Amino acid sequence: MQPASIHGIIGASGAGKSTLLRLMNLLERPDKGTVHAGGKELTALTEKELRRERQKIGMIFQHFNLVANATVSRNVAIPLELARVPKGERQKRVAEVLEFVGLTDKAEQYPARLSGGQRQRVAIARALANSPQLLLCDEPTSALDPVTTADILSVLKHINTALGVTIVIVTHELDVVRSICAEVSVMRDGIIVDAFSREENGFLPPSGHSGSYREQITGKAGGR
Amino acid sequence: MWESMLKYQDLMWQSIGETFVMVGISILAALLVGLPLGTLLYFCRKGQLYENRSLSLTLNSIVNVVRSFPFLLLVVALIPVTRFLVGTAIGTLASTVPLSVVAIAYYARLVEQSLLEVPKGTIEAALSMGASKVELIFKFLYVEARSGLVLGLTASTISFISFSTVMGVVGGGGVGDFAIRYGYQRFETEVMAYAIVVMIALVQLIQFTGSTAARLLDKR
């Protein structure tokens, strides 16, 4: 995988995409073989070392997986607490990442009061808090409508270009790959059966998930 | 009823005090031992993070045995233990031993149930952030399950009050014992009614407090 690129993993349900992603931070342990990330062999680490490495790998999920009983800023502060960041610095960093995802005004809200897209932004802010070099995304837009999907994808793209973070996205949506991925791996039955890049092959443009529903469906502007 | 209320005012206050001691210590035991035990029950369940069949089986049997004992027989069976711990098997303090044993088993089960309601995704997110076991428990599990934990403790407290009413057999006292000895055994029906009204008020108050707290804590 190229560092600082956006890599898509696509395939049908049950193809093993999520399992492959979970292997990358060892949420799932391989029966055999090793896992390398950030120049370290994760499979060889002790539990404590593995926890430290995980703090440097961000992860977001299809269903956001926020702590529902904690405010937005509290959710973002948790990974910093886990990494033993001192309080003053923590508050500063929380404000920073919330600004990055455009949720400064929602800092004291609870997730239940936010829309799906906003919740995923909180999850992204949480994943970015410890300035990871790698961001793992498990179907990050599959629970979102097309407009919100485009919105989240632009945030991910921005993270990649502005912060140089390597992003791995598991998805079953072609448009996700078409709009932001630089490389793709195709999976079937637990095996990568194909891999190619935008540079060599050129990707088709996504089928325009922006504008009104009329525009998305008919390709023409009009209506209200 | 007013007459008997005045007549037995002092005794009633004393009984309420005894009930509070018995129930209060049971709550403490539930929190200090039942909560960790329930958490352990949850973790070693099949399909959970630290799945452990033999530990799960052992803990489950202990909890079930304690809970299936007819309470009065548990009190009697525990007399040697009580004598060892408190020095005597008679009195309010001695009564807290069997009550605490039941309280621990009872609350542990309810804790396990509440924790099971925390979405698996939340746990996965916690692990992906590099949370340790202790951090997972205190920063994620208990935070997400907190209203269930409070409701469970409320339901338990009310059961402890009910259990405490039979502690008269070992001289534990309390409102229930007062109702039986003065109301039932001395045919003073009014006194019995008086004691029952006090119990009802107590239970209502506890349930109201618990439900309100749980509602305020629940931001999901």
Side-chain angles (χ1 to χ4, degrees), chain A residues 22 65 68-69 81 84, chain B residues 124 135 139 143-144 219:
Chain A
R22 278 163 174 68
N65 298 349
N69 278 333
E81 280 176 23
R84 308 272 181 273
Chain B
E124 190 163 58
E135 287 164 337
K139 289 183 195 287
V143 175
E144 284 305 64
K219 308 289 184 189

Side-chain angles (χ1 to χ4, degrees), chain B residues 155-191:
Chain B
S156 309
T157 304
I158 290 168
S159 302
F160 305 162
I161 292 181
S162 175
F163 284 133
S164 77
T165 55
V166 302
M167 293 319 293
V169 292
V170 288
V175 184
D177 183 41
F178 173 74
I180 290 169
R181 283 195 294 136
Y182 286 78
Y184 179 65
Q185 289 171 348
R186 286 168 59 165
F187 303 107
E188 293 191 65
T189 312
E190 281 189 355
V191 176

Side-chain angles (χ1 to χ4, degrees), chain A residues 22 25 27 47 51 54-55 57 59 61 65-69 78-79 81-82 84 110 112 126, chain B residues 121-122 124-133 135 139-140 143-146 217-220:
Chain A
R22 278 163 174 68
N25 62 359
L27 279 182
E47 206 193 328
R51 288 206 304 268
R54 278 180 178 162
Q55 286 164 8
I57 303 173
M59 189 169 191
F61 307 85
N65 298 349
L66 298 172
V67 178
N69 278 333
I78 291 174
E81 280 176 23
L82 300 185
R84 308 272 181 273
Y110 285 90
R126 180 174 72 172
Chain B
T122 310
E124 190 163 58
L127 295 177
S128 81
M129 283 180 236
S132 65
K133 292 183 187 83
E135 287 164 337
K139 289 183 195 287
F140 294 87
V143 175
E144 284 305 64
R146 64 192 185 188
L217 284 171
D218 192 2
K219 308 289 184 189
R220 290 172 296 174

Side-chain angles (χ1 to χ4, degrees), chain A residues 23 36 48 73 81 105 151 158 176 201 218 223:
Chain A
L23 281 170
H36 295 261
K48 200 172 167 192
S73 57
E81 280 176 23
D105 55 327
D151 178 57
H158 184 49
V176 169
N201 303 74
T218 66

Side-chain angles (χ1 to χ4, degrees), chain B residues 84-159:
Chain B
F84 173 76
L85 287 174
V86 186
T88 167
I90 304 292
T92 305
L93 199 61
S95 299
T96 63
V97 174
L99 275 172
S100 297
V101 170
V102 167
I104 289 165
Y106 203 90
Y107 191 51
R109 190 58 89 197
L110 294 178
V111 166
E112 182 197 20
Q113 301 299 329
S114 307
L115 294 181
L116 280 171
E117 277 169 35
V118 176
K120 280 257 170 89
T122 310
I123 296 157
E124 190 163 58
L127 295 177
S128 81
M129 283 180 236
S132 65
K133 292 183 187 83
V134 175
E135 287 164 337
L136 170 68
I137 293 170
F138 287 99
K139 289 183 195 287
F140 294 87
L141 278 178
Y142 286 174
V143 175
E144 284 305 64
R146 64 192 185 188
S147 61
L149 294 174
V150 169
L151 283 177
L153 191 64
T154 309
S156 309
T157 304
I158 290 168
S159 302

